[in-house]
Amino acid sequence: MNNQTQIVDALRKRGNKVTPQRLITIEVLLTMGQQHFSVEELFHGVKQRNPEVGMSTIYRTVQILEEMRLITKRNFDDGFARYELCEMDEKHWHHHLICLKCGRVIEMQDEYLEALEKEIEKKGFIIINHELKVYGYCSDCYANMEGEKFD
C-alpha cells in the first residue's frame, strides 16, 4: 500500500528532492485514492493548501511519479490525460469499462486475464503489463436509451 513515507523514501532513493511543495502534492495525491485525476485537478487541490505552488511544480512531480510507476497515465478517449495512483507492489493495473454515452469510467478487477496471462507465458512470452478498456453503455444510460440506435 502506498503512503507518504514510502513515496518520499522512493523519491530520495532515486535522488529527487523532497521539497515542501512536492510533499503537499503527494499529500493531495494520496487523498485522491484511486480516483482518475487530471494534472489540473491535482493542481487545484494543491493550490487550496498552498496558493504559491506553481503548475510547473505539479507537472514535474507528476512526471517523476509516472517514471517511478507510482502513478500511471490513462487515456479514456475523452481528450484528457488522467492519472491514477498505483499500489507500489502492484504488478498489473485494473481495467476500465467506459460508457460511450455519459463517459463514466468503471474500474474492473478480474481474475480472467490472469489465467490468460499464464497461458501466454507458457508459450514463452514474458508479460510486463497489460491494459484493457471495454466500451459500451453503463446500466443507467442503457436504461434510458429505449428506442435509440447504438453506435
Side-chain angles (χ1 to χ4, degrees):
M1 177 168 209
N2 281 340
N3 65 41
Q4 186 172 349
T5 303
Q6 287 176 305
I7 294 172
V8 167
D9 289 347
L11 282 166
R12 285 189 175 127
K13 185 177 180 181
R14 187 175 185 259
N16 292 103
K17 293 179 185 176
V18 181
T19 63
Q21 296 88 345
R22 193 161 281 162
L23 281 173
I24 291 170
T25 303
I26 292 166
E27 288 171 12
V28 171
L29 176 69
L30 290 171
T31 65
M32 297 177 136
Q34 289 300 318
Q35 173 185 331
H36 302 111
F37 62 91
S38 67
V39 173
E40 291 76 17
E41 290 166 333
L42 179 59
F43 177 65
H44 179 70
V46 171
K47 287 293 267 188
Q48 288 179 335
R49 293 189 185 193
N50 183 343
E52 296 179 16
V53 176
M55 182 64 108
S56 61
T57 299
I58 305 301
Y59 273 112
R60 278 193 304 273
T61 302
V62 164
Q63 181 182 6
I64 290 166
L65 295 175
E66 185 181 9
E67 289 169 3
M68 295 173 66
R69 298 186 72 177
L70 297 175
I71 62 173
T72 189
K73 183 187 273 186
R74 296 288 182 200
N75 177 353
F76 297 121
D77 299 327
D78 62 356
F80 298 97
R82 303 208 187 280
Y83 296 84
E84 64 185 331
L85 186 63
C86 303
E87 294 297 325
M88 292 182 88
D89 58 353
E90 186 175 23
K91 180 180 176 189
H92 297 294
W93 320 129
H94 51 268
H95 308 291
H96 299 94
L97 309 175
I98 303 168
C99 180
L100 294 168
K101 186 155 181 109
C102 70
R104 180 177 169 201
V105 177
I106 303 165
E107 294 183 358
M108 176 186 82
Q109 293 187 349
D110 218 321
E111 303 299 318
Y112 301 122
L113 290 172
E114 284 188 36
L116 177 60
E117 280 187 4
K118 288 178 183 168
E119 288 300 314
I120 292 169
E121 287 180 350
K122 284 180 188 177
K123 296 178 191 245
F125 187 82
I126 306 305
I127 298 171
I128 303 302
N129 200 358
H130 65 261
E131 181 177 353
L132 176 66
K133 294 187 277 188
V134 178
Y135 297 91
Y137 298 97
C138 69
S139 57
D140 291 338
C141 287
Y142 185 74
N144 293 321
M145 292 176 67
E146 190 173 321
E148 286 187 43
K149 191 172 185 172
F150 292 105
D151 294 342

